[in-house]
Amino acid sequence: MGFKEQLKEAGIVGAGGAGFPSYAKLAQGADLLVVNGAECEPLLYTDYFLLLREMPMVLAGIQEVLQQAEIPGALLCVKEHTAERLGLVDGTKLAEKVVLKVLPNVYPMGDEISLIYQATGRVVRPGNLPITAGVIVYNVETLYNIAAAIKFSAPVTMKWLTIGGNITNPIVTRVPIGISIAELFEKNSITIPEDHVVLDGGPSMGKIINPQVAVVTKTTKGLLILPKTSAAVESKLLDGKKSIARAETACCQCTRCTDLCPRGLLGYPLEPHKMVRTAKGAAKVMPEMVLAATLCCGCGICETLACCQGISPRAVIAEYKTLLAKNGMRFIAKDDVSVSEEREYRMIPSERWASVLGVARFDKLPIFKGENLDFERAEIALRQHIGAPSVAIVKDGSKVNRGDLIADSANGLSIPQHASIAGVVTIENGDKIRIDKVNYNV
């Protein structure tokens, strides 16, 4: 079995982003592997603890990729605060062909395009994949999972995550994929205060979830409990249609959103202030008018920091992204772009960003709780990745052990799924497989 097939069979996806199948990133033409350990958002310490406790496994995963994909070298990229806690400095040789790259404490440094430029000086052409700049990017946890797959033939059944926010003792732990967040909180004596919400992800780009029904997925990086009154949450509670209508009428065209846009500062033709003023009706008729919306990384700087009118360019852009997706359209540049000379002076310090979001007071270094396998139920979604959903191969009443294949990959871009706990299977709604624990060795 080839290397790409091993990654596919292990069900490995990008652990820190949208869940792009990792095998599909491997392509000829790469001369550098960039490892994303930047931990883009405030309050998240998942990658830091993974590096602190499992650096040999991460490095083993990096070297497997370098060898199998014939890539000359790798940069393991972390922010200054992570490097300081690990006792490492920029340029440290971590292993053969692997060097540490220290990035400034700014937001959104974990954004793939910003990361590549900051670490290498290369600009990925707008709308193009990193491989066009000779780069492959993997998250720290993805490399850990690659090492586990190659060294131990272990599929992805576990997830590293931070549980933080307005709780007394934030933790980082490793748990089975698909477990109930309500059960996870109960086992760790975590309660949700009144007038608080739970986010899956960071305070900026994370989504509000219902902890009574939501489960841990392959892309869950953190679970944050935050007050509804924080700026991070208020923007997520806005009525989308009202927010867009208000943006169209209240924008004063000051251009601050465009001036501070991280992708715009890299030379991308993304101008949020113009998006806001584009008539939605006209965009529906001529979607090419808003094609640049697909270049937005969704960082939220335009919405939470830049705008003096309290409107949301991000909401408008998200609406246009949906429109363009329905039309199968996206921006792809053929020419290089020039980075703005102002970029260095307009980057947002991480501490300031946390303050703007109203979450700085919750930023405490978590404790590591290890891993917990003893959960009553797991729900394995067949779509936890970009591409075609997995295809169930088990039936109601089937008994499975942890690590067993329960869903195969579909045709095209897809991955399989594996049981994360031992138990009895029930197929639910055709889109997820529930496993109820009977005992730990069926």
Side-chain angles (χ1 to χ4, degrees), residues 41 198-209 222 232 236 298 314:
E41 298 227 39
V198 179
L199 301 184
D200 184 330
S204 309
M205 299 188 226
K207 296 181 179 180
I208 296 174
I209 58 172
K236 304 178 195 303
R314 176 163 65 171

Side-chain angles (χ1 to χ4, degrees), residues 231-305:
V233 175
E234 283 184 332
S235 64
K236 304 178 195 303
L237 295 174
L238 293 174
D239 181 283
K241 292 183 178 179
K242 288 183 180 179
S243 180
I244 292 168
R246 185 165 181 266
E248 291 174 342
T249 57
C251 177
C252 67
Q253 291 290 283
C254 68
T255 76
R256 275 173 54 87
C257 55
T258 296
D259 293 341
L260 291 176
C261 175
R263 292 283 181 92
L265 290 169
L266 284 172
Y268 279 38
L270 179 60
E271 299 174 291
H273 76 284
K274 291 184 178 180
M275 292 282 177
V276 169
R277 298 298 288 176
T278 301
K280 190 165 67 173
K284 286 183 178 180
V285 176
M286 299 178 62
E288 60 271 17
M289 292 174 61
V290 293
L291 200 58
T294 60
L295 303 176
C296 173
C297 69
C299 69
I301 287 175
C302 61
E303 170 185 81
T304 310
L305 176 64

Side-chain angles (χ1 to χ4, degrees), residues 161-167 169-171 173 175 179-193 196-201 209-216 220 222-226 369 372 375:
L161 56 86
T162 301
I163 304 177
N166 190 17
I167 60 176
N169 296 305
I171 65 172
T173 185
V175 298
I179 60 161
S180 161
I181 289 171
E183 186 179 2
L184 174 61
F185 282 5
E186 182 181 357
K187 283 183 175 293
N188 288 280
S189 302
I190 294 171
T191 58
I192 304 170
H196 281 57
V197 300
V198 179
L199 301 184
D200 184 330
I209 58 172
N210 181 349
Q212 298 306 312
V213 299
V215 301
V216 173
T220 301
L223 297 169
L224 301 181
I225 301 171
L226 297 175
K369 289 291 292 286
N372 187 340
F375 290 87

Side-chain angles (χ1 to χ4, degrees), residues 128-185:
N128 286 256
L129 296 174
I131 190 64
T132 61
V135 177
I136 291 175
V137 181
Y138 281 137
N139 177 262
V140 164
E141 188 176 356
T142 303
L143 272 303
Y144 174 92
N145 290 335
I146 288 174
I150 302 303
K151 294 168 73 72
F152 308 116
S153 299
V156 179
T157 62
M158 302 285 287
K159 193 74 184 75
W160 292 72
L161 56 86
T162 301
I163 304 177
N166 190 17
I167 60 176
T168 304
N169 296 305
I171 65 172
V172 169
T173 185
R174 188 169 180 250
V175 298
I177 291 165
I179 60 161
S180 161
I181 289 171
E183 186 179 2
L184 174 61
F185 282 5

